[in-house]
Amino acid sequence: MKPEGRQPVRAEDEDEQRRLSVFHLVGLAAGGMIGSGWLLGADDAFRRAGSDAYLAWVFGGLLMLLIAAVMVELGTVAPKTGGLIFLPLQSSGALVATVVAAGLWIFYAINLSSEAVAMTKGLSWKVHGLLDSSQALTLKGWGYALVFMAAISAVNLATPRIFFRINSWLTVVKVIVPVLTVALLITAGFDHHSPHASGGTGKGAGAALAAVVGSGVIFAYVGFQGPLDFAGNIKRWGRGIGEAARLRRAVFGTIIGAMVLYISLQVVFTKYQASYWSPADIEPSPYAQFAFALSLWWLGWLLRIGAVISPMGAGLVFAHALTREVAALSRAHLTHRGLQTARKASLKRRYDVYWLVLVVDFFVASIALLAVGGSWSSLVAITGVLTLVVYAVPGVVLVSLRDHLTGWSRVRRGAREVLARTGFALIALILYGAGWAPLWRGMATLTVGCALLLCLPILARWLPAFGRMYDAKVHVTLFRHWRTSPAAQAGLWLVGHLAVLTLLTLLGDSSVGVLPKLLGGFLAVAAALVAFEGLVSASRRHMAEVAPMLPAPGTGRPAVAANAANE
């Protein structure tokens, strides 16, 4: 028998070997969440919801807590780096995994471009000519945005150990700046009345609900899943108990802390905006304007620095996490197989980084930036839609895998299934409430991504020259067997759900307006619940045909492999 130290190491096992502490996990979660959303989102939320804008942050935070409860539960019983793609593949088949992968890949890549735009805006007070009179990027601004995107990608060429250290301490700075901002602006003259006291007229909970997606609220909360992207890398003590506790503390603690912070920042903005805020000002954020207007000069300078550092830190987290998700996608042969290992896609095999994935993501982000004309608001609206589509699927996975996951009591299992169904329905309602404009852009982007992932393998077969560069399995042909293939039926349930949701939004919340909005919302929830049960049923039938390979807690490897290793 070969000595244990000489056994071959699989590519996916390499990604599971680095063990992360709570400090690193919080750095991933908070580092991904605290980006440009808190700097630029308050103004957009206020324009949409008036003084009720703080409700958008409440709604968004509560939704994220609900979604996180499902995702964390799944991440603790089946911890896998790249699990947001790997687990849907195991439970529901290649077609559902492709839809998730397209949404995840694009919204992670779009984050790179949106944070680069925010960094460019953050530097506009110092470097003139980056923005025009309408606050859009000039040609010079485009150049700076592309340079910032390249810089974020370049930092990810550092070894993971160095990267996590940089990110964790950068996150500490990123958290301190907004916390100081809230504390000092309040003590500088903010009274203790209701948020309505001097903030103008509120537009109601409906407007606040629409602002959750359209104004960047979801974008600001996106990032809590960073630890889940590296669920197989968490440092464990004992028999995996410490591993689960670390994941819960990092994710839930970050979301709750971000809720308090974001609501406080919105309330501060609502109070001061009438007196001190001018969108045409050169300052990178409204809070910098408030600080200088109140003679808090050092805070204003700190906010100027934070307007560049904060978006950069979030971009670093998303770029790094995406390399692991794309690697999982490549190992499943859903995209080019050459992207699946760090060694094959590293710089002369000296650095354990996915440089080739970073190059591809740079081009995807550049195309997205070009498609929306460099608009930060358009980027975050598309991101909000794609995020919610991706976040809806773990609930389906959790319920579908019920018979394959051990260690749950009957009460706990029932509670998790209720949360999964509730989260799926609420996501549909919020997407419907977001309105037609952001929804159709997000769904069109998702359609393009799915078409590329499904059709490029066919093109590679038809064109031998292209086939030598792109190697992936053809999965789109599964649709031919939709009557007998559970994987195809699961894919059709998901695509049909998104199509019905889009149609209801067109009829109920657009210029067409033939459907009462309240009725449309009710139908969206009802259709979502029907689609959920259809997805679960098809997924369970798929697993009856193809047994899922689930990682065992504490190993990151499939349970079968883990048991064999223990023997």
Side-chain angles (χ1 to χ4, degrees):
M1 184 175 66
K2 291 183 180 180
E4 184 178 352
R6 299 178 64 87
Q7 291 178 350
V9 179
R10 298 180 306 166
E12 55 266 37
D13 288 337
E14 292 179 355
D15 276 347
E16 311 293 344
Q17 290 178 351
R18 292 176 294 277
R19 297 298 175 183
L20 305 179
S21 66
V22 173
F23 182 59
H24 292 136
L25 295 175
V26 173
L28 287 170
M33 289 180 70
I34 302 178
S36 58
W38 75 273
L39 291 163
L40 304 175
D43 176 40
D44 203 359
F46 182 82
R47 285 190 281 106
R48 292 173 182 267
S51 59
D52 290 322
Y54 71 96
L55 290 175
W57 300 98
V58 175
F59 295 155
L62 292 176
L63 177 65
M64 290 299 107
L65 282 173
L66 178 62
I67 294 172
V70 175
M71 295 176 67
V72 168
E73 195 67 25
L74 188 59
T76 54
V77 296
K80 179 68 177 177
T81 295
L84 290 178
I85 293 174
F86 175 83
L87 294 175
L89 174 66
Q90 296 300 312
S91 69
S92 308
L95 295 177
V96 169
T98 298
V99 176
V100 174
L104 185 73
W105 195 338
I106 294 173
F107 100 67
Y108 272 37
I110 284 179
N111 182 274
L112 177 63
S113 55
S114 59
E115 301 298 7
V117 171
M119 291 172 69
T120 304
K121 290 179 178 289
L123 201 61
S124 61
W125 68 272
K126 180 67 175 177
V127 181
H128 299 292
L130 298 180
L131 306 174
D132 60 21
S133 58
S134 64
Q135 298 299 298
L137 294 178
T138 62
L139 183 60
K140 184 177 180 180
W142 276 86
Y144 270 76
L146 292 174
V147 169
F148 285 139
M149 288 165 55
I152 291 172
S153 301
V155 173
N156 274 277
L157 295 176
T159 60
R161 184 181 300 274
I162 295 175
F163 172 84
F164 284 121
R165 288 178 180 175
I166 293 173
N167 176 69
S168 297
W169 288 108
L170 186 62
T171 300
V172 172
V173 176
K174 288 169 53 180
V175 172
I176 289 175
V177 172
V179 170
L180 278 177
T181 299
V182 170
L184 293 175
L185 289 180
I186 286 176
T187 57
F190 184 51
D191 62 27
H192 301 285
H193 292 259
S194 157
H196 296 273
S198 61
T201 304
K203 299 181 181 180
L209 188 64
V212 170
V213 175
S215 67
V217 172
I218 289 296
F219 177 81
Y221 280 114
V222 166
F224 77 82
Q225 80 283 355
L228 297 167
D229 289 317
F230 294 88
N233 300 133
I234 301 173
K235 185 182 293 184
R236 56 189 173 93
W237 292 344
R239 298 180 179 179
I241 298 175
E243 179 182 357
R246 285 180 182 83
L247 188 61
R248 291 190 180 97
R249 290 174 184 176
V251 173
F252 292 129
T254 301
I255 294 176
I256 293 172
M259 280 185 67
V260 174
L261 179 61
Y262 291 157
I263 293 169
S264 301
L265 285 165
Q266 183 66 58
V267 172
V268 168
F269 177 87
T270 301
K271 282 293 188 178
Y272 282 120
Q273 55 83 28
S275 301
Y276 302 122
W277 169 232
S278 172
D281 196 276
I282 63 172
E283 293 303 327
S285 78
Y287 305 105
Q289 287 190 38
F290 302 158
F292 285 119
L294 296 170
S295 299
L296 297 172
W297 302 102
W298 68 271
L299 178 62
W301 278 96
L302 190 62
L303 283 163
R304 285 176 170 177
I305 297 172
V308 176
I309 291 179
S310 191
M312 181 183 71
L316 289 174
V317 171
F318 275 89
H320 194 76
L322 182 55
T323 60
R324 270 54 186 180
E325 294 291 351
V326 172
L329 179 67
S330 178
R331 291 181 191 121
H333 303 164
L334 297 175
T335 189
H336 178 49
R337 302 185 195 188
L339 301 177
Q340 65 183 283
T341 63
R343 288 186 176 181
K344 289 183 179 179
S346 62
L347 298 174
K348 298 181 180 179
R349 299 191 178 186
R350 294 175 58 191
Y351 301 105
D352 187 18
V353 295
Y354 294 82
W355 70 269
L356 190 56
V357 177
L358 293 172
V359 171
V360 174
D361 295 343
F362 178 86
F363 281 103
V364 173
S366 301
I367 293 171
L369 188 64
L370 180 64
V372 300
S375 169
W376 182 86
S377 297
S378 297
L379 287 170
V380 300
I382 293 172
T383 298
V385 173
L386 296 178
T387 300
L388 291 178
V389 171
V390 172
Y391 283 178
V393 176
V396 175
V397 176
L398 186 67
V399 176
S400 301
L401 290 172
R402 180 181 61 189
D403 297 332
H404 300 270
L405 302 176
T406 60
W408 288 354
S409 66
R410 181 175 298 180
V411 174
R412 185 175 180 182
R413 176 180 296 175
R416 296 308 181 197
E417 292 192 5
V418 170
L419 287 177
R421 288 176 169 85
T422 303
F424 195 88
L426 284 179
I427 286 174
L429 181 61
I430 288 180
L431 284 173
Y432 172 81
W436 174 247
L439 187 67
W440 82 260
R441 291 188 179 96
M443 292 302 178
T445 304
L446 180 64
T447 301
V448 171
C450 292
L452 288 173
L453 288 179
L454 291 173
C455 295
L456 283 179
I458 296 178
L459 186 62
R461 282 190 175 185
W462 289 349
L463 302 176
F466 180 65
R468 288 191 290 270
M469 297 183 293
Y470 190 89
D471 180 20
K473 286 185 178 179
V474 176
H475 294 289
V476 69
T477 52
L478 284 172
F479 283 122
R480 295 176 181 174
H481 311 289
W482 64 271
R483 289 186 176 88
T484 58
S485 170
Q489 292 165 7
L492 288 174
W493 272 111
L494 181 57
V495 172
H497 163 60
L498 298 177
V500 169
L501 181 61
T502 304
L503 178 61
L504 289 173
T505 307
L506 173 64
L507 298 177
D509 195 7
S510 70
S511 57
V512 177
V514 299
L515 190 69
K517 189 170 183 179
L518 184 61
L519 176 60
F522 174 80
L523 293 176
V525 171
L529 292 175
V530 172
F532 186 93
E533 300 305 327
L535 273 163
V536 169
S537 176
S539 297
R540 288 176 177 170
R541 284 184 279 110
H542 168 71
M543 288 185 287
E545 295 182 359
V546 182
M549 296 291 290
L550 300 177
T555 66
R557 293 176 293 171
V560 174
N563 293 335
N566 291 335
E567 294 174 358

